[in-house]
Structures are given as structure tokens and as C-alpha cells.
Amino acid sequence: QLQLVESGGGLVQPGGSLRLSCAASGFTLDYYAIGWFRQAPGKEREGVSCISSTGDSTNYADSAKGRFTISRDNAKNTVYLQMNSLKPEDTGVYYCGGAYAGVCSYGMNYWGKGILVTVSS
């Protein structure tokens, strides 16, 4: 069945870095736009970054610009989110989502279960 699996989360100090991975199970990511989202307790899920199916376009939340980089390796069926200069406000559960439309302008159709990222000293 179609599923996305996140990895790479954990506890990191402010100013540190983490690389999140989103791997597909049961399907290829070639035709899917992949987005990263996060959710803090009591808050709505918010978009962090997204990359089109071809990788030709990317976008970032204002809070992530200049610090986060999204990339994809279709040969490995994986999308990455490199997070640098992490701040405590980056703390949350991070989810990857896939859009079979192949573009980031539309909603996600598939979701991972999420992984916790905690930024604290």
C-alpha cells in the first residue's frame, strides 16, 4: 500500500542541524510533489517546504527561508529536508505529504505518521 515514512528527527540544540528524510513505500515518488509540514501542540499543521515532482520548483515558509533546504533523489525514492540553525520555535511533529498532482499548489493526498523534532538546550 502507499505510505510515506519519515526519519531523522530527534533532539538537537539551538543552532544545530538535522536532516529529515521522507521515503516512499509502495509507490514511486517520481510523479509526486512532496511537502514537509509541522504541527505544535494545540496548533494547526503548517506547511514548511515543498518540492515539485520534477524538482524544478520549491517553496518555503517564511520562517524556514534561508535555514531549510528541500531536495529530492528520485533514484532513492526519497525527499530530504535539511534544517540548519534550528530554533526552539522549530520544535514540533514533522510530517511529509505527497501530492499526486505533482505540484505544490494543491493539497496532499498521502501522509507520513510524523516524527518529533525538539530544539532545546
Side-chain angles (χ1 to χ4, degrees):
Q1 62 182 29
L2 281 61
Q3 189 173 9
L4 297 173
V5 180
E6 304 95 339
S7 62
L11 175 65
V12 65
Q13 296 180 353
S17 299
L18 286 174
R19 184 189 295 272
L20 304 182
S21 298
C22 175
S25 176
F27 68 104
T28 177
L29 291 180
D30 288 9
Y31 304 105
Y32 290 79
I34 298 294
W36 285 97
F37 303 77
R38 67 188 179 193
Q39 187 171 22
K43 298 183 65 177
E44 295 292 323
R45 186 178 302 183
E46 63 177 349
V48 177
S49 184
C50 189
I51 186 167
S52 64
S53 60
T54 62
D56 291 339
S57 64
T58 59
N59 62 54
Y60 299 90
D62 185 66
S63 61
K65 291 179 180 177
R67 300 187 298 123
F68 294 4
T69 303
I70 191 169
S71 62
R72 67 189 303 150
D73 187 341
N74 286 350
K76 296 182 178 179
N77 221 22
T78 302
V79 171
Y80 306 95
L81 183 67
Q82 177 67 45
M83 305 187 295
N84 298 324
S85 302
L86 284 163
K87 306 173 181 179
E89 52 262 43
D90 294 317
T91 294
V93 177
Y94 282 68
Y95 303 85
C96 64
Y100 56 63
V103 296
C104 297
S105 300
Y106 302 95
M108 300 291 117
N109 305 109
Y110 305 101
W111 293 94
K113 290 182 171 59
I115 49 171
L116 179 63
V117 172
T118 302
V119 184
S120 179
S121 60

